[in-house]
């Protein structure tokens, strides 16, 4: 109801204050002039109604022409000027020029609809400019992320052709398989992120056992945990929630993967699930390298990797994907970290839809 009022509230105010004043003064001048001429004609042609009528007809025609001329001038100043600017701006935006900005000729114009349209066009152009920058950065980052594994694949494929020993060929083949897996994961994450950003993926709400899902996701990392000799603790309460199981798996797999990746051999990872009021809190902690305050502010940005020593193990899309999924599910995520001491990611989920 409020929105409707806001949309209709500006109607009927196409005229600027200057236009309103011009119309008022013009009408007042015409009426005053007509009354003065009528009084003079009545005194001059007393009793001769035909002559008075002829004089008044001439005066009305003259005043009508004068009024039309004044109104045309008013329209040129108050209407054609803003409309011309608006048309020029929309044409430039349509051609891809998002730097266009309109300036109100007079401060009072912001109170009429033309002024509002101009301000909205400025806001739209600014948002489109931001989107264009993000799009350009995204393309540049994707190109860079593809370039590295493709170069490795090309080099090792050439080396594989000239390899003589069976063991050497196997090693090269393993590298090629690993790089193709990275490319597959990159493409998969890009597609998922694109779906989420364009609202193409709608969560399917169903009742799921959150504790069981977390256990299954943790078991998928059992080999990597044993390989790095990590100490893994798990404390899960029984939890049933309405959510999308596939979307939640994206969150848990990415957070657990990062915990394993950034924790040095012999370190610790702790997974907990507890209830707090009407919400469930999932915490994934590690004793890894941690992140700085600056990195923490950008950690959910696409392709951003704060720890470049592990850059070959990921593509910087995991946490961006997590953030999008969390927003889609109406949940919350936060991170606490200290450089050199580890990180804790906390996801807050509602128990009811």
């Amino acid at each position: 109801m409020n929105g409707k009022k806001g949309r209709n509230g500006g109607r009927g105010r196409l005229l600027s204050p200057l236009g309103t004043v011009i119309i008022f003064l013009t009408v007042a001048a015409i009426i005053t002039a007509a009354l003065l001429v009528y009084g003079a004609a009545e005194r001059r042609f007393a009793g001769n109604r035909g002559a008075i009528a002829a004089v008044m007809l001439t005066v009305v025609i003259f005043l009508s022409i004068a009024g039309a001329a004044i109104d045309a001038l008013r329209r040129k100043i108050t209407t054609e000027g803003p409309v011309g600017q608006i048309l020029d701006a929309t044409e430039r935006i349509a051609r891809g020029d998002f730097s266009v900005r309109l300036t109100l000729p007079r401060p009072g114009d912001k109170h009429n609809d033309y002024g509002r349209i101009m301000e909205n066009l400025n806001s739209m152009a600014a948002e489109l400019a931001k989107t264009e920058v993000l799009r350009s950065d995204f393309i540049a980052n994707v190109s860079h992320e593809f370039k590295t594994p493709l170069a490795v694949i090309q080099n090792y494929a050439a080396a594989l052709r000239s390899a003589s020993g069976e063991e050497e060929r196997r090693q090269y083949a393993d590298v090629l398989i690993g790089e193709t897996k990275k490319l597959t994961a990159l493409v998969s994450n890009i597609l998922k992120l694109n779906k989420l950003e364009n609202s193409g993926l709608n969560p399917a709400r169903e009742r799921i056992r959150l504790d069981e899902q977390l256990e299954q996701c943790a078991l998928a990392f059992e080999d990597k945990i044993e390989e790095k000799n990590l100490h893994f603790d798990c404390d899960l309460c029984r939890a049933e929630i309405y959510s999308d199981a596939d979307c939640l798996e994206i969150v848990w797999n990415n957070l657990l993967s990062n915990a394993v990746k950034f924790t040095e051999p012999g370190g610790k990872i702790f997974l907990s699930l507890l209830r707090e009021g009407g919400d469930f809190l999932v915490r994934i902690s590690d004793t890894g390298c941690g992140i700085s305050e600056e990195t923490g502010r950008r950690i959910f940005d696409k392709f951003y990797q704060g720890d470049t020593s592990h850059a070959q193990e990921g593509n910087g899309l995991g946490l961006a994907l997590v953030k999008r999924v969390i927003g889609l599910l109406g949940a919350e995520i936060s991170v606490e970290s200290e450089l050199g001491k580890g990180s804790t990611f906390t996801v807050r989920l509602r128990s009811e839809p």
Side-chain angles (χ1 to χ4, degrees), residues 130-144 298 302-303:
K130 292 179 184 177
T131 303
E132 179 64 18
V133 170
L134 290 174
R135 186 187 68 84
S136 300
D137 288 347
F138 182 78
I139 292 174
N141 285 324
V142 168
S143 301
H144 174 74
R298 299 188 56 195
K302 285 180 285 191
F303 296 105

Side-chain angles (χ1 to χ4, degrees), residues 281-299:
L281 299 183
V282 178
R283 287 196 176 97
I284 299 176
S285 304
D286 63 67
T287 58
C289 59
I291 56 176
S292 64
E293 184 177 348
E294 179 184 356
T295 301
R297 288 194 293 267
R298 299 188 56 195
I299 199 169

Side-chain angles (χ1 to χ4, degrees), residues 207-351:
R207 182 176 289 276
I208 61 174
R209 279 287 300 275
L210 183 57
D211 52 327
E212 293 180 355
Q213 186 188 51
L214 287 168
E215 286 178 358
Q216 293 172 0
C217 290
L219 284 173
F221 292 90
E222 187 176 11
D223 291 341
K224 292 183 179 180
I225 290 172
E226 290 181 357
E227 182 182 333
K228 295 185 71 171
N229 192 29
L230 300 176
H231 183 72
F232 187 86
D233 279 338
C234 189
D235 182 16
L236 308 176
C237 71
R238 179 186 172 89
E240 290 187 354
I241 64 171
Y242 280 98
S243 192
D244 188 302
D246 293 335
C247 286
L248 285 177
E249 279 188 12
I250 294 174
V251 175
W252 313 138
N253 287 337
N254 274 286
L255 294 181
L256 287 169
S257 175
N258 283 345
V260 173
K261 180 170 66 175
F262 293 108
T263 302
E264 297 301 323
K268 297 180 180 180
I269 297 176
F270 183 67
L271 170 63
S272 68
L273 169 62
L274 57 93
R275 181 153 195 160
E276 186 178 90
D279 301 335
F280 285 107
L281 299 183
V282 178
R283 287 196 176 97
I284 299 176
S285 304
D286 63 67
T287 58
C289 59
I291 56 176
S292 64
E293 184 177 348
E294 179 184 356
T295 301
R297 288 194 293 267
R298 299 188 56 195
I299 199 169
F300 294 107
D301 293 349
K302 285 180 285 191
F303 296 105
Y304 182 74
Q305 292 177 292
D307 182 7
T308 55
S309 65
H310 292 79
Q312 74 278 6
E313 300 177 33
N315 48 57
L317 282 176
L319 288 178
L321 189 57
V322 166
K323 184 69 172 179
R324 292 293 184 182
V325 171
I326 289 295
L328 184 70
L329 296 177
E332 299 174 8
I333 186 169
S334 60
V335 56
E336 297 177 8
S337 184
E338 188 174 347
L339 203 59
K341 293 187 177 181
S343 305
T344 299
F345 285 85
T346 302
V347 176
R348 179 180 293 272
L349 297 164
R350 295 182 178 86
S351 57

Side-chain angles (χ1 to χ4, degrees), residues 1-14 112-113 116-117 120:
M1 187 172 181
N2 290 337
K4 185 175 181 181
K5 182 179 179 181
R7 288 193 299 270
N8 295 335
R11 293 181 181 175
R13 288 189 290 179
L14 287 172
N112 64 51
D113 284 351
R116 283 225 252 278
I117 292 171
N120 289 342

